Amino acid sequence: MSYSIFTPKERNIITLVLLLLLGAVIAYAVRGIIGALLGTMVMYTIFRPLNIWLVERLKWRRPLAAVCIIVISFLIIVLPFLGIGTMLTNKIVELVKNPEWIKNTVNTINEYAGDKLGKPDLLQEQLEKSASYFGGLLTSLVSGAAGLFLDIIVMYFLLYFIFINFRGFERGLLRYSPFRIENAIKFGHELRNITYSNVIGQTFIALVQGGALSLGFWIFGFDDALFWGVICAILAFVPLLGPPLIFVPAAIYAFTQEDNFAAIGLLVYGFVVVINIDNILRLIIAKKVGDIHPIITVVGVIIGIPLFGVMGLVYGPLLLSYFLITVRIYEANKKQLNLTDEELPSP
């Protein structure tokens, strides 16, 4: 009869080391679909109540409920993004076919800046300063859009199997969670609230701001009101900073055309109405489900776009918020552990 050369404790240590090594290999292998994994968690959080209602209240078969949710989410989330992408592509093609419009606009603004500010090459200088940064940003967005199709396929594949066994999935999360049960449940609630606030809340704010700016463009006689409203809705994911990137240059262009009424009107409308939409709606959403501080959103977007491409507008702030929640849960665990140690009798 042969005996192992390792003790049970040594075998456990070896097994743990193997698990860590295999986990590191798997994490490295799936680094390309990290956006799909994060998207799966976001979509599951958003549509979990609907899945429970269909399965446990209406008694639908789980595969049917999962397919129904996937179709609904595709119609209300994915198709609008495809439509926006088509609109942007058509506009870029239009500008490429008519480069004189861009050249004339640049020359007009430079002439205005030379007369009023004594800086005839103002716009040219600013374009040169920002070309490198925005070039890298555009590359990240395009590469993210190129990989978005694969992420969507992987995300829906994972969502289907999670939805048809959602109770087992949640029990597994609790079982292998490194937190206490009560902290894990609290962690889950905070994740849900943060996800609702950032995805649903921020999307709603962006749509309202985009619609408001589009209306402002129409009121003051600017061209392509719908297009610039859509661009504003995208940039509105960066709170306070996004919308002015649209209406301030438009107002400057109106000044160069000596349309002072439209320029001043758009500036007042933008700073009084469009900007404050974010402030008011953010307070309402904070009272209902929770809030993400604007600083976290801005920093999250900065780190999110290089990682996830265009979806970094949403995933970046979420990832940073999840990290901060995890830090708070760790501190709560440490505090409870210290209290437990203090209650133990001294030897």
Side-chain angles (χ1 to χ4, degrees), residues 253-269:
Y253 180 74
F255 275 123
T256 66
Q257 301 299 308
E258 298 184 352
D259 191 352
N260 295 337
F261 172 77
I264 295 174
L266 184 62
L267 284 175
V268 173
Y269 180 84

Side-chain angles (χ1 to χ4, degrees), residues 187 190 296 318-329:
F187 184 52
E190 291 200 28
I296 295 177
L318 274 180
L319 195 62
L320 190 56
S321 299
Y322 292 167
F323 171 77
L324 295 177
I325 292 176
T326 307
V327 171
R328 292 211 310 269
I329 297 295

Side-chain angles (χ1 to χ4, degrees), residues 194 239 282 291-299 317 321:
I194 288 295
R282 193 174 293 276
D291 189 26
I292 296 180
H293 195 280
I295 293 179
I296 295 177
T297 303
V298 173
V299 175
S321 299

Side-chain angles (χ1 to χ4, degrees), residues 167-205:
R167 290 301 184 192
F169 171 71
E170 292 178 359
R171 285 194 298 268
L173 290 179
L174 284 176
R175 179 179 180 182
Y176 293 104
S177 169
F179 312 116
R180 296 172 181 266
I181 296 297
E182 61 271 19
N183 282 342
I185 295 174
K186 178 183 177 182
F187 184 52
H189 289 161
E190 291 200 28
L191 285 179
R192 179 197 62 191
N193 292 339
I194 288 295
T195 302
Y196 284 174
S197 175
N198 192 72
V199 178
I200 300 177
Q202 185 58 45
T203 299
F204 179 69
I205 292 173

Side-chain angles (χ1 to χ4, degrees), residues 90-119:
N90 292 337
K91 191 65 178 179
I92 291 173
V93 171
E94 179 184 336
L95 292 177
V96 169
K97 290 181 178 179
N98 185 24
E100 290 299 320
W101 180 86
I102 300 176
K103 186 181 297 183
N104 292 336
T105 300
V106 172
N107 291 336
T108 300
I109 295 177
N110 279 335
E111 290 175 4
Y112 179 83
D115 293 338
K116 303 295 183 181
L117 305 176
K119 298 270 296 181

Side-chain angles (χ1 to χ4, degrees), residues 50-274:
L50 177 59
N51 185 59
I52 293 175
W53 184 70
L54 291 176
V55 172
E56 299 185 351
R57 292 289 298 276
L58 299 186
K59 305 300 181 183
W60 283 25
R61 295 180 59 189
R62 295 189 178 193
L64 177 60
V67 171
C68 179
I69 292 173
I70 288 173
V71 171
I72 291 173
S73 67
F74 187 84
L75 292 177
I76 67 176
I77 295 177
V78 178
L79 282 185
F81 274 103
L82 294 177
I84 291 172
T86 302
M87 178 184 293
L88 293 178
T89 302
N90 292 337
K91 191 65 178 179
I92 291 173
V93 171
E94 179 184 336
L95 292 177
V96 169
K97 290 181 178 179
N98 185 24
E100 290 299 320
W101 180 86
I102 300 176
K103 186 181 297 183
N104 292 336
T105 300
V106 172
N107 291 336
T108 300
I109 295 177
N110 279 335
E111 290 175 4
Y112 179 83
D115 293 338
K116 303 295 183 181
L117 305 176
K119 298 270 296 181
D121 295 323
L122 174 65
L123 187 59
Q124 185 68 29
E125 292 175 3
Q126 299 304 316
L127 288 175
E128 290 175 355
K129 289 179 181 178
S130 59
S132 176
Y133 171 76
F134 282 103
L137 181 63
L138 181 61
T139 301
S140 298
L141 291 175
V142 171
S143 63
L148 193 58
F149 181 72
L150 175 62
D151 286 346
I152 291 173
I153 293 177
V154 174
M155 179 184 70
Y156 279 131
F157 177 81
L158 296 174
L159 271 178
Y160 174 80
F161 288 102
I162 291 176
F163 275 135
I164 63 176
N165 189 28
F166 65 98
R167 290 301 184 192
F169 171 71
E170 292 178 359
R171 285 194 298 268
L173 290 179
L174 284 176
R175 179 179 180 182
Y176 293 104
S177 169
F179 312 116
R180 296 172 181 266
I181 296 297
E182 61 271 19
N183 282 342
I185 295 174
K186 178 183 177 182
F187 184 52
H189 289 161
E190 291 200 28
L191 285 179
R192 179 197 62 191
N193 292 339
I194 288 295
T195 302
Y196 284 174
S197 175
N198 192 72
V199 178
I200 300 177
Q202 185 58 45
T203 299
F204 179 69
I205 292 173
L207 291 176
V208 175
Q209 284 189 299
L213 186 62
S214 183
L215 178 62
F217 267 56
W218 177 76
I219 291 173
F220 295 106
F222 289 85
D223 296 331
D224 294 326
L226 178 61
F227 172 78
W228 292 113
V230 170
I231 300 299
C232 175
I234 296 173
L235 294 178
F237 279 91
V238 183
L240 302 179
L241 303 177
L245 294 176
I246 302 299
F247 66 76
V248 171
I252 293 174
Y253 180 74
F255 275 123
T256 66
Q257 301 299 308
E258 298 184 352
D259 191 352
N260 295 337
F261 172 77
I264 295 174
L266 184 62
L267 284 175
V268 173
Y269 180 84
F271 283 110
V272 174
V273 177
V274 178

